[in-house]
DNA sequence: ATTTATATGTTGACGCTGTCAATATAACAT
DNA sequence: ATGTTATATTGACAGCGTCAACATATAAAT
């Protein structure tokens, strides 16, 4: 048996851990999370099928790490709207809502993985919880600012955030799960309607 | 009871098709949908591993049928709130919202299966779409009645329904997916808050 | 009643999967 | 050079969905 890999310095990949994460993301984007297979993944990277086990204890942990990266990118994506300081705080808040939906619809498989339940319930990962909470905190922060500026009701911040998050997550999920077969224009109209209707429930009188 | 068992058990098993559906639901409730295996399922029913193939073309179709049954029960569960005619129409509407959340939290694996995307996107089933739409129509109906009674804004019915459905589905999903680790009291408070806040966005001025 | 057809159930096999154990090699520290 | 650790490989195993071939109980046709 000839190890075609062992010709020379190919035996060690160099940075397999990151390569695995990036390639997993690619597969997810191309074919969906169901097509992520340790064997297919390894083949694409030119390593053996068990090589990933030197970097992740099992497949779930690999996917969990991908989800964590997803949440980090998600958080950054949301944060951009806050950095537009020439806008009013309320406008920033609404931009964040739009950014939320935009991310979910642009990276559907990514978003679905991040919110797929076995990762958080069956196979709890503290790091994933932290990453998820960091995104949630983006929302909490801007809500707090809005309340302080007097543009939103002084309701309990957490409850207000849950309300908004439920709204956005539910809308994105229904679309990604195929329960809302909307045409593009209908979708955009629905987004505007949802944003306005959310606001009516929470804006200061 | 999914179907009435025929009085005479005419065939080998008797009524394997329904037995498969019921046993699948049991497994889902006991161990989650991930534990549904054609082999384990067959073993529990005392038939061979390929016996299910005489009744369902593949595993996905079996799960799709289970999801359809789930949507039918869901629809009936929602309908109950409409039959309390001594209540105002608005009260009926709010009871339906509570019933929605109640169903999802009582039958988490059921609910998750019904809204798991591969069933609707990758493996489209018209019957499932019909069952899903029937549930959605419960909401549309009561919204229509509320608008006619003048208690809700005369917004586009579909958009209004999408807003509410997104809200309820998002909240339930976040809880079931483990993103909202709320204590029981917090959960109930959140439900009340969400219901009130939804209403403020859609009630007639 | 006997034969035929159809519906239903079984066994064997295949390729795919995740993962463990044992082994091999590279990189690094001494 | 030597030994240690990190990394990668092969072999093996059980579990999975599913196809093909076969078996049999029931229904239909004669």
């Amino acid at each position: 048996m000839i190890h075609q890999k062992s010709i020379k310095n190919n035996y060690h990949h160099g940075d397999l851990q990151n390569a695995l994460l990036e390639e997993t993301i690619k597969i997810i984007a191309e074919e969906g999370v169901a097509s992520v297979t340790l064997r297919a993944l390894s083949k694409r990277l030119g390593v053996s099928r068990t090589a990933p086990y030197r970097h992740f204890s099992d497949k779930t942990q690999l996917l969990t790490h991908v989800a964590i990266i997803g949440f980090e990118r998600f958080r950054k994506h949301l944060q951009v709207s806050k950095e537009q300081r020439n806008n009013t705080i309320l406008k920033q808040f609404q931009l964040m809502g739009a950014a939320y939906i935009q991310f979910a619809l642009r990276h559907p498989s990514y978003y679905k993985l991040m919110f797929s339940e076995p990762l958080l319930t069956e196979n709890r990962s503290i790091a994933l919880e932290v990453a998820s909470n960091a995104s949630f905190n983006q929302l909490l922060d801007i809500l707090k600012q809005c309340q302080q500026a007097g543009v939103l009701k002084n309701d309990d911040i957490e409850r207000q955030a849950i309300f908004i998050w439920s709204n956005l997550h539910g809308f994105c999920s229904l679309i990604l799960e195929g329960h809302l077969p909307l045409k593009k224009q209908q979708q955009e109209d629905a987004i505007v309607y949802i944003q306005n209707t959310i606001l009516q429930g929470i804006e200061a009188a």
Side-chain angles (χ1 to χ4, degrees), chain A:
Chain A
M1 274 321 170
I2 303 162
H3 301 171
Q4 47 181 6
K5 293 278 103 192
S6 65
I7 305 283
K8 262 296 178 192
N9 37 14
N10 275 12
Y11 197 96
H12 278 48
H13 180 279
D15 194 7
L16 185 55
Q17 173 145 7
N18 285 320
L20 286 166
L21 291 169
E22 284 181 17
E23 200 67 23
T24 300
I25 293 169
K26 277 188 197 169
I27 296 176
I28 289 176
E30 290 169 12
E31 317 171 44
V33 71
S35 297
V36 174
T37 279
L38 289 186
R39 296 169 114 103
L41 172 63
S42 302
K43 196 170 233 171
R44 284 171 67 135
L45 292 174
V47 296
S48 74
R49 44 190 158 57
T50 58
Y53 285 90
R54 302 302 126 198
H55 304 278
F56 302 98
S57 63
D58 56 19
K59 186 185 175 182
T60 299
Q61 203 173 79
L62 166 64
L63 290 176
T64 300
H65 274 244
V66 172
I68 290 170
I69 295 173
F71 269 114
E72 285 168 359
R73 293 187 182 173
F74 184 48
R75 185 183 53 74
K76 281 180 195 161
H77 186 80
L78 295 181
Q79 201 169 21
V80 170
S81 50
K82 283 209 290 193
E83 286 160 0
Q84 316 242 330
R85 302 254 167 159
N86 49 330
N87 285 319
T88 66
I89 186 69
L90 190 63
K91 181 70 180 170
Q92 287 175 38
F93 165 69
Q94 293 199 287
L95 283 177
M96 185 180 286
Y100 186 114
I101 295 171
Q102 190 185 56
F103 183 94
L105 299 186
R106 273 202 199 153
H107 313 287
S109 303
Y110 227 153
Y111 187 85
K112 279 183 273 186
L113 175 66
M114 287 156 56
F115 287 93
S116 66
E117 54 90 25
L119 259 44
L120 267 172
T121 55
E122 291 173 33
N123 222 299
R124 222 173 182 107
S125 154
I126 293 174
L128 180 56
E129 269 183 65
V130 169
S132 167
N133 287 341
S135 294
F136 189 60
N137 285 338
Q138 292 285 325
L139 179 56
L140 284 176
D141 276 359
I142 208 157
L143 281 179
K144 214 169 288 179
Q145 290 181 51
C146 285
Q147 285 199 7
Q148 282 166 359
V151 295
L152 290 187
K153 280 186 195 168
N154 283 318
D155 289 341
D156 179 278
I157 289 271
E158 286 241 0
R159 255 172 252 173
Q160 216 172 43
I162 288 173
F163 169 72
I164 293 158
W165 198 14
S166 293
N167 236 301
L168 299 176
H169 177 60
F171 180 72
C172 294
S173 294
L174 287 176
I175 287 182
L176 297 183
E177 285 154 356
H179 285 277
L180 288 183
L182 301 178
K183 289 165 197 157
K184 197 175 178 186
Q185 186 57 50
Q186 292 175 309
Q187 203 175 85
E188 288 175 16
D189 292 345
I191 292 173
V192 171
Y193 178 81
I194 286 176
Q195 291 228 27
N196 289 337
T197 315
I198 289 177
L199 198 58
Q200 286 170 42
I202 61 173
E203 68 187 344

